Amino acid sequence: MASQVIKVQTVCRNIIAVARNYTEHAKELGNPVPKENPLVFGKPVSSIITEGEIQIPHGWKELHHEVELGVVIGKPGKFIKPENAMDHVMGYVLVLDMTARSIQQELKKQGYPWFLAKGFDTSCPISDFIPKSAVNDVHNLNLKLAVNGIIKQNGNTKDMIFKVPDLLSYISNYFKLEYGDLILTGTPSGVSGVKHGDIIEASLDDLAKIKFPVVENEK
């Protein structure tokens, strides 16, 4: 099937991400847990990589890893109802939402957007496309991440505060979802810093695995 060979990096038009969608992750960073609506932000499509290295911009020294389920849109939609939302899903990817935490915290203190801390080149590594038909229950998928062989994140999508249909419905009220759009659904607890020379490995059940070295740019 054509859907099984989709190149998400090629067809992706927009990346919309969700912050603090796992209670324990919000708590570990000392952030309030969203109650009424999801907290959304964006990343540029240029941040996607499928191979190569995760690059730390010169002078930043460290990034934080955030392993996530990514939802790939197959059917455009606006004002999508939650009960119809899964009809708009084409498939999934395993995603790393790499974050410059110190930069993010400083920007937040000043009341500025987080874009720089979340949107730099190579900040969105993804796996190969996973067709929707390969996933029996999107809300019971194990997300794991290890740094240099040591498990740091070990969560399950069942712990999402806002489930996938609700996320797609909410987001589509403000942004028309188009074919190839990528929705990042949040990360479980266990985020930590990585530096030059570290190796990140992550998995989504037995559906996807990724492995990326981390390097610091010299300039």
Side-chain angles (χ1 to χ4, degrees):
M1 295 175 60
S3 63
Q4 293 179 323
V5 293
I6 291 295
K7 299 294 184 182
V8 176
Q9 186 178 27
T10 301
V11 301
C12 185
R13 164 188 169 274
N14 211 0
I15 302 173
I16 300 172
V18 179
R20 307 177 195 170
N21 200 27
Y22 289 75
T23 299
E24 293 306 313
H25 170 60
K27 289 181 177 179
E28 74 180 344
L29 296 181
N31 292 320
V33 178
K35 294 181 180 179
E36 295 184 4
N37 295 309
L39 176 60
V40 301
F41 63 95
K43 294 170 79 82
V45 174
S46 58
S47 66
I48 294 176
I49 58 171
T50 58
E51 59 184 3
E53 302 165 329
I54 296 170
Q55 298 175 6
I56 304 175
H58 179 67
W60 285 9
K61 303 298 182 184
E62 182 182 86
L63 302 175
H64 273 206
H65 55 76
E66 298 187 6
V67 64
E68 311 197 7
L69 171 72
V71 178
V72 183
I73 300 301
K75 177 184 175 183
K78 178 77 173 174
F79 303 119
I80 299 169
K81 295 180 179 180
E83 59 266 29
N84 300 327
M86 296 307 292
D87 294 338
H88 294 262
V89 175
M90 176 167 55
Y92 308 95
V93 287
L94 175 62
V95 184
L96 301 182
D97 175 21
M98 300 303 299
T99 303
R101 191 74 64 201
S102 61
I103 302 297
Q104 182 189 36
Q105 290 172 342
E106 185 59 34
L107 291 170
K108 285 168 62 178
K109 286 179 184 178
Q110 299 180 52
Y112 296 152
W114 314 339
F115 191 74
L116 182 65
K118 289 280 192 176
F120 55 92
D121 288 348
T122 76
S123 66
C124 190
I126 66 172
S127 70
D128 290 339
F129 177 75
I130 305 163
K132 181 181 176 181
S133 59
V135 176
N136 293 325
D137 182 358
V138 71
H139 298 117
N140 188 21
L141 296 172
N142 293 310
L143 287 162
K144 290 185 180 181
L145 183 143
V147 178
N148 301 327
I150 300 173
I151 297 293
K152 297 291 186 177
Q153 293 186 268
N154 188 0
N156 190 287
T157 56
K158 68 183 179 183
D159 295 322
M160 287 183 187
I161 298 170
F162 301 100
K163 307 303 184 185
V164 172
D166 296 317
L167 292 176
L168 300 186
S169 178
Y170 178 79
I171 292 168
S172 73
N173 287 336
Y174 305 96
F175 310 97
K176 181 181 179 182
L177 297 180
E178 298 282 3
Y179 178 88
D181 282 357
L182 178 59
I183 311 301
L184 310 191
T185 59
T187 192
S189 63
V191 302
S192 65
V194 292
K195 60 186 185 303
H196 179 84
D198 286 342
I199 303 292
I200 298 176
E201 297 177 86
S203 64
L204 178 67
D205 268 359
D206 58 355
L207 299 169
K209 292 182 179 181
I210 53 178
K211 181 178 181 179
F212 288 91
V214 180
V215 300
E216 182 181 358
N217 284 340
E218 295 182 359
K219 60 180 179 179

